[in-house]
């Protein structure tokens, strides 16, 4: 009877040891996945920042382009009229 209990205890200790190894494997796997998630999150944050910078640059360039178009459209007639007025004034 004593030998049977020792045998059962020995089997349980082996099972417990195996379960400890499995749990350690899961722990290592979880830590690796956690690190991978953090790395991906950092990459995502960098991409979002790059996108926001590009979007800001786009709107800045678009505003400059619109400003130049407006100045050109308004500036040519104004400079023409100013040139005509200056010419008329100089001729008088």
């Amino acid at each position: 009877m004593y030998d049977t209990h020792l045998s059962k205890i020995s089997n349980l200790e082996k099972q417990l040891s195996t379960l400890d190894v499995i749990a350690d494997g899961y722990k290592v796997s979880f830590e690796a996945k956690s690190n991978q998630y953090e790395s991906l999150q950092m990459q995502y944050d960098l991409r979002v920042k790059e996108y926001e910078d590009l979007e800001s640059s786009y709107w800045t360039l678009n505003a400059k382009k619109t400003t130049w178009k407006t100045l050109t459209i308004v500036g040519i007639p104004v400079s023409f009229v100013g040139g005509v007025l200056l010419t008329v004034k100089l001729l008088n």
Side-chain angles (χ1 to χ4, degrees), residues 44-62:
Y44 173 77
D45 291 342
L46 286 173
R47 299 288 181 195
V48 167
K49 183 170 178 358
E50 288 175 4
Y51 173 78
E52 289 172 350
D53 290 344
L54 286 173
E55 186 179 28
S56 176
S57 296
Y58 168 77
W59 286 114
T60 301
L61 290 174
N62 194 29

Side-chain angles (χ1 to χ4, degrees), residues 21-78:
V21 170
I22 292 171
D24 287 342
Y26 279 123
K27 182 179 176 184
V28 169
S29 175
F30 175 75
E31 289 173 353
K33 293 292 182 186
S34 178
N35 290 339
Q36 182 182 15
Y37 173 76
E38 290 173 4
S39 173
L40 289 173
Q41 186 65 37
M42 288 174 55
Q43 289 178 3
Y44 173 77
D45 291 342
L46 286 173
R47 299 288 181 195
V48 167
K49 183 170 178 358
E50 288 175 4
Y51 173 78
E52 289 172 350
D53 290 344
L54 286 173
E55 186 179 28
S56 176
S57 296
Y58 168 77
W59 286 114
T60 301
L61 290 174
N62 194 29
K64 288 179 182 178
K65 182 177 156 186
T66 304
T67 302
W68 277 110
K69 280 184 178 179
T70 304
L71 290 176
T72 303
I73 291 169
V74 172
I76 291 173
V78 168

Side-chain angles (χ1 to χ4, degrees), residues 4-24:
T4 306
H5 290 301
L6 283 179
S7 174
K8 286 181 182 179
I9 290 173
S10 176
N11 285 338
L12 288 174
E13 286 175 346
K14 287 178 186 176
Q15 289 177 357
L16 183 59
S17 174
T18 303
L19 290 175
D20 282 341
V21 170
I22 292 171
D24 287 342

